[in-house]
Structure formats: structure tokens, C-alpha cells
Amino acid sequence: MRIGVVGRGSYIGRSFHAFINAVSDHTCDLIPSRERAWAEADFSAYDCVLVCAGIAHNETKSCSEAKYAAINTIMPLEIAQMTKAKGVRHLIFLSSIIVYGEDDPIGNPKVINPNTVPSPTGAYGRSKLEAERRILPLADAEFAVAAIRLPMVYGSGCKGNFQALLDLAKWLPVSLNNENSRSMIYIENLNHYLLDCVEAKAGGVLFPQNQEYVSTKGIFECVAAIRGRRPLFIHVPQPFFGLLAKVVPVLKKLYGTKVYDPALSTNMASYNVVSFEESIRHSLA
């Protein structure tokens, strides 16, 4: 099987490309997306196309709504239309948990279940959800389409909030004792999941995640254990912590709860090949 990955600069795309070519009998090519370079690709050569290209969530402040729509909605739609016209049998579009909106206030856990209706609150989330709404109807008996609503992806070399938190945990001996939960997925587990999707020709809206929810406290504990020390935790009473988070918004990102109900994520054992502790160890390397 030959797989085309649109998004040569994508962390997920580059990782999946290396993974496929190293461990499977399939062939994987990286297809550039900038300056509409994807339009020159020969999509007829592929059995499956994975669309990783797009503007990331952390670029919100520097991007207009129109630019998000152009890159995260219109471009994936045009790629989907072209792949279908060229006879590709399967398209996978990487969407995001952000289609369900930002984190709720601390103390109000957001548990996304099969009945939860998407309600994006920012340009990034709106652009991803609109792309889903336009791409998924292209599916038919000859063309399978999957939209994967990814939680936070982390791993060695991944930039963003998780890596910043790991760096903080490496050097800060003190953390807050308040509990929270997050759905996340380690990059190697995601690679195995994507391979499963390709081989099963999976379609519809999909929700991969690590088998274990991740907590900020758990990250500090794990990093400390790996580095041979014990962290000091300070407990902040919940009512005060909620008020403090309104003044310091980053606390909501660090200690809010946003998870997928396990009922949304099928066959987790098949692709969760790396435990949480091992994933943190690898991410620190």
C-alpha cells in the first residue's frame, strides 16, 4: 500500500512517515503543502492520503479568521476533492478536540461523550469543524473518509504547551497538588493508531487517546521519579484555586479537566504500545 502524507513540515506527518517506512511493508511519501505545492502531486499513485497540513492552534494570535479558513478548511477540502477525483480510496483528515471549545473553568470537568455537540469558540476550532462538515460528506462506497479529533499530541521534538510543561517539571521542585485529567496521545501510540486506520480503511469521526488520562501532578511526579527526586506539592483549596485561575489564565490550561469518555475510543489496547511513564521518559530524551 502507498500512503501520501500532505504536510511535510508537520510534526505528526514527519513522525508517521518515518514510522511507516521503518516498521511496515507500506510505502509513505511526504507531500509539501506550502504555496499549493500539493496541487502538483500525483494523487493517483496513492491508496490513502493523510492530511496533516494546517495552521496550529498555538498560532491563533497571529492569524486572522480568514487565514484559518483558507488553510484549515478550504485547502483540506480541495485536497479531498482532488484525491477522490484521482481514484484514491481513503482519506484521513486530522481534526482536533478543540472543536468542542476551550477548557471549562477549574472545578467544572469537561467530559466529552457520544452526545456532546461540538461548540468551537475560536477561529482554529471553527476552521477544523467546518472542514469536517465539508469533507465527511464526500464519503461513498468507493471513497472512505475519516476525521480524527486529536487530543493533545506529545513526544520528543514536539513543540508547544506540553514540552514547556516538561521543561518546567525538570527544573521546578515544587508544584500544585490539585488534581485534573487530560486526554492526550503519545506520538508513537498515534503512529500505531494511524497505521491501524489506514489498514482498516477506517471512516467517520474518530477519537484516539492514551489509555491513561494525564494529569499535571502526574507529569511532575513522573519526571521527578525519572530524575531520582521527590517533588514537593502544595495544595490550594478548590474555591480559591478557581478564583486564582481567573486571574492567571494559564492555570486553567494546566489544571483544567478535558477528556474523552473511553466509550468514544475503540480498541485502545491495540495501539497503546507505550505506557505513560515510558512516553514521558522518551519525551525527556
Side-chain angles (χ1 to χ4, degrees):
M1 187 180 298
R2 190 171 180 188
I3 307 161
V5 176
V6 182
R8 192 164 62 187
S10 159
Y11 173 71
I12 295 173
R14 287 184 284 107
S15 178
F16 184 64
H17 170 260
F19 169 78
I20 289 295
N21 288 329
V23 307
S24 80
D25 294 328
H26 308 308
T27 301
C28 186
D29 301 325
L30 283 173
I31 301 169
S33 59
R34 293 184 181 275
E35 307 296 333
R36 291 182 61 84
W38 56 266
E40 303 301 318
D42 179 14
F43 285 109
S44 65
Y46 299 109
D47 302 286
C48 177
V49 170
L50 172 64
V51 183
C52 298
I55 303 173
H57 181 227
N58 57 14
E59 296 180 44
T60 301
K61 293 181 180 179
S62 62
C63 289
S64 66
E65 185 106 17
K67 187 170 183 180
Y68 267 111
I71 304 300
N72 286 0
T73 303
I74 302 304
M75 183 179 71
L77 174 62
E78 291 180 338
I79 292 170
Q81 291 170 331
M82 179 176 285
T83 58
K84 183 174 183 177
K86 294 293 184 178
V88 179
R89 305 296 298 273
H90 190 197
L91 180 96
I92 300 174
F93 169 65
L94 296 188
S95 187
S96 169
I97 194 173
I98 299 297
V99 301
Y100 294 103
E102 299 292 340
D103 300 352
D104 286 347
I106 289 177
N108 296 335
K110 177 176 276 190
V111 181
I112 299 162
N113 61 49
N115 297 317
T116 305
V117 177
S119 55
T121 54
Y124 175 78
R126 287 191 289 270
S127 68
K128 285 291 189 179
L129 184 59
E130 185 59 25
E132 288 184 25
R133 288 173 172 167
R134 297 192 188 195
I135 291 171
L136 286 168
L138 295 175
D140 58 30
E142 302 297 324
F143 186 60
V145 180
I148 301 179
R149 291 179 181 167
L150 291 173
M152 181 183 288
V153 178
Y154 68 96
S156 179
C158 183
K159 299 177 182 179
N161 293 334
F162 189 87
Q163 191 58 49
L165 181 58
L166 276 188
D167 291 340
L168 186 65
K170 281 193 290 187
W171 307 114
L172 189 66
V174 179
S175 180
L176 299 179
N177 195 37
N178 300 68
E179 297 285 354
N180 72 313
S181 296
R182 292 276 177 177
S183 285
M184 296 186 186
I185 188 162
Y186 176 55
I187 186 63
E188 189 172 337
N189 292 340
L190 177 58
N191 286 335
H192 282 272
Y193 180 80
L194 291 173
L195 177 57
D196 287 349
C197 288
V198 169
E199 293 184 335
K201 201 178 175 184
V205 181
L206 306 172
F207 307 85
Q209 60 179 324
N210 284 352
Q211 283 186 296
E212 312 103 319
Y213 290 148
V214 179
S215 72
T216 299
K217 179 183 176 183
I219 292 170
F220 272 81
E221 288 176 326
C222 191
V223 171
I226 291 169
R227 296 176 73 85
R229 56 179 170 80
R230 296 179 62 183
L232 174 65
F233 289 107
I234 301 171
H235 183 73
V236 179
Q238 187 66 43
F240 177 72
F241 195 47
L243 292 174
L244 184 64
K246 292 180 180 179
V247 180
V248 187
V250 71
L251 288 177
K252 188 169 75 170
K253 289 186 176 294
L254 289 176
Y255 290 95
T257 288
K258 188 177 187 180
V259 297
Y260 282 139
D261 185 319
L264 286 170
S265 305
T266 57
N267 300 320
M268 282 196 284
S270 69
Y271 61 87
N272 272 274
V273 299
V274 179
S275 69
F276 171 67
E277 180 179 350
E278 279 302 302
S279 75
I280 295 298
R281 190 180 298 276
H282 295 169
S283 298
L284 287 170

XYZ file of all heavy atoms in Angstrom, residues 57 95-105 108-112 116-129 132-133 149-152 182 252-253 257-260:
350
model
N -3.048 25.432 16.512
C -3.847 26.148 17.499
C -3.050 27.242 18.183
O -3.576 28.312 18.485
C -4.372 25.155 18.551
C -5.218 25.787 19.599
N -5.052 25.540 20.933
C -6.253 26.653 19.503
C -5.952 26.230 21.628
N -6.684 26.907 20.785
N -8.285 16.371 12.575
C -9.031 17.448 13.219
C -8.542 17.578 14.664
O -7.418 17.176 14.981
C -10.534 17.168 13.131
O -11.287 18.271 13.600
N -9.378 18.124 15.557
C -8.889 18.422 16.896
C -10.003 18.391 17.936
O -11.175 18.695 17.641
C -8.244 19.815 16.908
O -7.977 20.252 18.223
N -9.632 18.085 19.161
C -10.556 18.139 20.287
C -11.067 19.562 20.515
O -12.100 19.768 21.155
C -9.852 17.610 21.567
C -10.871 17.317 22.679
C -8.769 18.567 22.032
C -10.261 16.628 23.899
N -10.377 20.546 19.946
C -10.771 21.949 20.112
C -12.116 22.238 19.449
O -12.714 23.283 19.695
C -9.668 22.888 19.559
C -8.366 22.673 20.341
C -10.059 24.344 19.688
C -8.454 23.017 21.817
N -12.615 21.341 18.614
C -13.955 21.570 18.054
C -15.014 21.573 19.160
O -16.143 22.027 18.945
C -14.334 20.526 16.974
C -13.333 20.556 15.830
C -14.482 19.135 17.549
N -14.654 21.095 20.348
C -15.575 21.117 21.488
C -15.396 22.354 22.366
O -15.976 22.439 23.443
C -15.393 19.859 22.338
C -15.803 18.606 21.618
C -14.851 17.747 21.074
C -17.137 18.268 21.450
C -15.218 16.598 20.392
C -17.519 17.123 20.763
C -16.559 16.297 20.244
O -16.933 15.161 19.564
N -14.618 23.299 21.902
C -14.428 24.530 22.648
C -13.220 24.480 23.561
O -12.547 23.464 23.699
N -12.963 25.613 24.203
C -11.841 25.720 25.121
C -12.167 25.009 26.435
O -13.278 24.526 26.649
C -11.512 27.198 25.374
C -11.111 27.974 24.125
C -9.776 27.523 23.549
O -8.984 26.892 24.285
O -9.517 27.796 22.365
N -11.197 24.994 27.336
C -11.395 24.348 28.629
C -12.469 25.077 29.430
O -12.594 26.304 29.363
C -10.093 24.373 29.432
C -8.968 23.655 28.716
O -9.228 23.027 27.685
O -7.828 23.733 29.200
N -13.233 24.312 30.203
C -14.181 24.904 31.133
C -13.425 25.392 32.373
O -12.280 24.997 32.615
C -15.238 23.874 31.534
C -16.243 23.621 30.420
O -16.257 24.419 29.458
O -17.001 22.647 30.507
N -14.050 26.252 33.188
C -13.376 26.730 34.402
C -12.950 25.574 35.299
O -13.565 24.508 35.309
C -14.452 27.591 35.084
C -15.349 28.016 33.970
C -15.372 26.868 33.010
N -15.009 22.535 36.914
C -16.070 22.076 36.014
C -15.449 21.148 34.962
O -15.081 21.595 33.879
C -16.756 23.252 35.313
C -17.486 24.154 36.278
O -17.888 23.731 37.354
N -17.649 25.407 35.891
N -15.304 19.881 35.278
C -14.675 18.955 34.319
C -15.456 18.891 33.007
O -16.689 18.838 33.013
C -14.728 17.601 35.044
C -14.920 17.934 36.485
C -15.720 19.201 36.514
N -14.735 18.919 31.906
C -15.356 18.746 30.590
C -15.120 17.312 30.139
O -13.998 16.933 29.809
C -14.788 19.741 29.572
C -15.358 19.547 28.166
C -14.857 20.606 27.193
C -15.688 21.870 27.276
N -15.379 22.818 26.175
N -16.172 16.513 30.169
C -16.095 15.112 29.744
C -16.889 14.981 28.446
O -18.113 15.118 28.437
C -16.655 14.166 30.815
C -16.536 12.719 30.346
C -15.919 14.359 32.148
N -16.195 14.741 27.372
C -16.810 14.668 26.046
C -17.274 13.240 25.802
O -16.486 12.303 25.839
C -15.806 15.118 24.975
C -15.387 16.572 25.227
C -16.380 14.954 23.576
C -14.108 16.988 24.528
N -22.056 14.698 23.180
C -21.547 16.068 23.253
C -21.532 16.709 21.866
O -20.980 16.148 20.918
C -20.133 16.089 23.851
O -20.134 15.437 25.121
C -19.653 17.521 24.033
N -22.114 17.877 21.772
C -22.200 18.594 20.493
C -20.995 19.530 20.356
O -20.703 20.301 21.283
C -23.502 19.404 20.412
C -23.565 20.208 19.102
C -24.712 18.485 20.539
N -20.266 19.499 19.253
C -19.150 20.433 19.062
C -19.603 21.879 19.192
O -20.679 22.252 18.708
C -18.672 20.127 17.641
C -19.073 18.701 17.410
C -20.387 18.543 18.125
N -18.775 22.692 19.842
C -19.110 24.105 20.027
C -17.817 24.916 20.080
O -17.441 25.428 21.139
C -19.922 24.299 21.313
O -19.226 23.752 22.427
N -17.114 25.019 18.960
C -15.835 25.739 18.961
C -16.008 27.206 19.307
O -16.991 27.838 18.924
C -15.334 25.563 17.527
C -16.555 25.279 16.714
C -17.473 24.529 17.617
N -15.043 27.737 20.050
C -15.123 29.130 20.494
C -14.086 30.026 19.824
O -14.116 31.238 20.012
C -14.933 29.210 22.013
O -13.706 28.557 22.368
C -16.086 28.533 22.745
N -13.179 29.456 19.053
C -12.142 30.246 18.398
C -12.026 29.917 16.929
O -12.632 28.961 16.428
N -11.213 30.707 16.231
C -11.062 30.545 14.785
C -10.484 29.184 14.428
O -10.893 28.572 13.430
C -10.170 31.655 14.232
N -9.548 28.694 15.220
C -8.942 27.390 14.929
C -9.986 26.286 14.994
O -10.128 25.481 14.060
C -7.817 27.116 15.923
C -7.218 25.733 15.784
C -6.310 25.447 14.775
C -7.559 24.712 16.674
C -5.754 24.181 14.644
C -7.005 23.448 16.555
C -6.102 23.184 15.545
O -5.567 21.927 15.419
N -10.732 26.237 16.078
C -11.747 25.202 16.229
C -12.826 25.288 15.170
O -13.278 24.268 14.635
N -13.249 26.502 14.862
C -14.280 26.673 13.828
C -13.777 26.199 12.473
O -14.517 25.570 11.705
C -14.718 28.143 13.763
C -15.581 28.587 14.935
C -16.208 29.948 14.684
N -15.229 31.024 14.725
C -14.888 31.699 15.829
N -15.422 31.366 16.992
N -14.011 32.673 15.776
N -12.510 26.493 12.158
C -11.963 26.088 10.847
C -11.867 24.568 10.734
O -12.132 24.003 9.673
C -10.595 26.732 10.612
O -9.604 26.230 11.497
N -11.512 23.897 11.817
C -11.410 22.436 11.804
C -12.793 21.793 11.675
O -12.980 20.836 10.901
C -10.710 21.949 13.074
C -9.218 22.178 13.095
C -8.506 21.286 12.079
C -7.008 21.342 12.220
N -6.314 20.466 11.245
N -13.761 22.298 12.426
C -15.099 21.717 12.373
C -15.736 21.936 11.008
O -16.397 21.036 10.462
C -15.977 22.319 13.469
C -17.391 21.728 13.584
C -17.340 20.232 13.864
C -18.188 22.447 14.668
N -14.384 19.419 8.599
C -15.062 18.126 8.793
C -16.413 18.106 8.080
O -16.762 17.139 7.390
C -15.295 17.859 10.277
C -14.072 17.519 11.088
C -14.473 17.172 12.516
O -15.630 16.753 12.741
O -13.628 17.324 13.419
N -17.181 19.160 8.282
C -18.541 19.217 7.737
C -18.549 19.201 6.218
O -19.522 18.739 5.605
C -19.244 20.475 8.268
C -19.615 20.372 9.741
C -20.154 21.688 10.280
N -20.684 21.526 11.639
C -20.983 22.529 12.457
N -20.795 23.791 12.052
N -21.454 22.288 13.661
N -10.379 13.494 15.594
C -10.370 14.613 16.541
C -9.304 14.353 17.604
O -9.568 13.798 18.664
C -11.759 14.799 17.153
C -12.774 15.303 16.143
C -14.156 15.477 16.733
N -15.087 15.942 15.706
C -16.412 15.949 15.835
N -16.984 15.508 16.958
N -17.172 16.389 14.860
N -8.104 14.789 17.297
C -6.964 14.500 18.153
C -7.015 15.288 19.458
O -7.287 16.495 19.459
C -5.666 14.866 17.431
C -5.264 13.996 16.240
C -4.051 14.609 15.563
C -4.967 12.568 16.683
N -6.712 14.623 20.590
C -6.397 15.372 21.802
C -4.972 15.893 21.678
O -4.365 15.795 20.599
C -6.527 14.311 22.894
C -6.103 13.047 22.211
C -6.590 13.178 20.776
N -4.414 16.439 22.746
C -3.041 16.920 22.680
C -2.097 15.776 22.326
O -2.162 14.698 22.906
C -2.612 17.542 24.013
C -1.182 18.075 23.991
S -0.634 18.727 25.580
C -1.591 20.243 25.641
N -6.548 14.907 31.654
C -6.498 15.295 30.249
C -6.444 14.053 29.364
O -5.724 13.101 29.665
C -5.247 16.120 29.955
C -5.232 17.485 30.586
C -5.975 18.463 29.745
N -6.049 19.773 30.359
C -6.611 20.819 29.794
N -7.138 20.707 28.584
N -6.674 21.975 30.407
N -5.796 27.477 34.089
C -6.913 26.698 33.554
C -6.416 25.667 32.559
O -6.914 24.537 32.508
C -7.941 27.623 32.897
C -9.221 26.911 32.485
C -10.321 27.881 32.082
C -10.071 28.480 30.733
N -11.239 29.248 30.230
N -5.407 26.031 31.772
C -4.830 25.082 30.821
C -4.051 23.990 31.541
O -4.035 22.835 31.129
C -3.909 25.812 29.836
C -4.662 26.698 28.839
C -3.722 27.269 27.813
C -4.459 28.062 26.759
N -5.349 27.222 25.931
N -9.804 20.126 33.517
C -10.060 18.742 33.093
C -10.831 18.744 31.782
O -11.889 19.379 31.678
C -10.867 17.981 34.157
O -10.018 17.725 35.286
C -11.382 16.648 33.625
N -10.274 18.061 30.789
C -10.910 17.935 29.483
C -10.551 16.565 28.927
O -9.386 16.317 28.577
C -10.432 19.041 28.535
C -11.167 19.115 27.209
C -10.650 20.300 26.418
C -11.446 20.547 25.163
N -10.921 21.708 24.415
N -11.537 15.684 28.869
C -11.249 14.301 28.486
C -12.316 13.758 27.552
O -13.455 14.220 27.529
C -11.167 13.378 29.729
C -10.025 13.790 30.646
C -12.483 13.351 30.492
N -11.905 12.738 26.803
C -12.842 11.934 26.040
C -13.329 10.780 26.919
O -12.514 10.085 27.557
C -12.169 11.336 24.798
C -11.996 12.284 23.634
C -10.818 12.290 22.888
C -13.013 13.146 23.245
C -10.656 13.139 21.804
C -12.865 13.995 22.160
C -11.683 13.993 21.451
O -11.530 14.836 20.377
